[in-house]
Amino acid sequence: MLRLDVEILKKIPSDFIRFELLEELPSFELHGEILHFPSPVKASLLVSKNGPTIIVEGSVSGRIKLICDRCLEPFDFFFEAPVKECYAHTPNNSESEFVSYSGDVIDITSDVINDIILSLPMKSICGEECRGLCAKCGCNLNKGHCNCKNDDIDPRLSVLQTFVRKMNPEH
Ligand SMILES: [Zn+2]
Ligand SMILES: [Zn+2]
């Protein structure tokens, strides 16, 4: 969980403080799938105060497990997402446009997960070279070959191809 101890802002003379955090984030649901982080997420944040408002700016980066749209295998996607959030220390003020917090610690976990979701690609592909699944037998073509490919070429055509190759040896 990402929690910022903003109490410290009252104790130091400057109006901002830098947080460098490495934290485990909880898994979450997106479009009916549970996504999780295989390793701790790095957060570099500058936290400043503007009157009663706390401004959190920076970025988070790390790895998240996605399912490849082509081969349907899980893979680690490296993300880097910008973070910019404002929190108002007015728990009972419903008119505030900012998320409110109480006490001296702000839990920014759910806001940061939303920022990470925004940084995810529309299509998840494990790699440019991913060959996907065979449309006929469903075999993962990254892991091995199947015999379906040969069926695509009409046997009569393959004879013709051999003939053309013989006629044009340079091709
Ligand atoms: Zn793939
Ligand atoms: Zn196949």
Side-chain angles (χ1 to χ4, degrees), residues 1-135:
M1 302 296 252
L2 280 170
R3 291 201 178 88
L4 303 176
D5 178 5
V6 292
E7 167 75 6
I8 202 163
L9 279 172
K10 292 179 193 161
K11 296 173 185 162
I12 56 170
S14 73
D15 280 347
F16 64 89
I17 184 164
R18 186 165 279 283
F19 285 84
E20 298 288 344
L21 305 168
L22 195 62
E23 294 287 336
E24 303 270 357
L25 291 191
S27 51
F28 62 93
E29 192 180 332
L30 182 66
H31 309 314
E33 272 178 54
I34 303 292
L35 299 184
H36 72 274
F37 300 92
S39 54
V41 169
K42 186 172 173 256
S44 301
L45 303 169
L46 190 71
V47 178
S48 54
K49 61 181 172 186
N50 183 4
T53 305
I54 299 282
I55 300 150
V56 180
E57 286 177 276
S59 65
V60 287
S61 59
R63 295 187 295 155
I64 188 167
K65 275 261 187 279
L66 296 180
I67 303 293
C68 177
D69 287 336
R70 274 189 209 158
C71 67
L72 307 181
E73 291 286 329
F75 69 102
D76 284 358
F77 177 78
F78 291 83
F79 64 85
E80 177 153 21
V83 173
K84 178 148 190 183
E85 308 289 343
C86 294
Y87 301 89
H89 197 206
T90 49
N92 300 317
N93 183 1
S94 56
E95 285 169 31
S96 171
E97 57 180 308
F98 303 139
V99 180
S100 59
Y101 70 98
S102 53
D104 297 313
V105 173
I106 310 178
D107 188 337
I108 63 169
T109 309
S110 61
D111 293 325
V112 164
I113 286 177
N114 282 333
D115 292 329
I116 293 169
I117 290 171
L118 291 175
S119 79
L120 296 180
M122 294 291 282
K123 255 195 168 312
S124 311
I125 305 294
C126 66
E128 279 305 312
E129 70 286 357
C130 176
R131 299 158 65 112
L133 302 178
C134 169

Side-chain angles (χ1 to χ4, degrees), residues 157-169:
L157 267 177
S158 72
V159 169
L160 185 66
Q161 279 181 338
T162 314
F163 176 73
V164 170
R165 243 175 260 135
K166 276 182 186 156
M167 294 298 287
N168 305 287

Side-chain angles (χ1 to χ4, degrees), residues 134 136-139 141 146-149:
C134 169
K136 283 186 181 167
C137 71
C139 133
L141 297 174
C146 61
N147 296 319
C148 304
K149 250 187 173 169

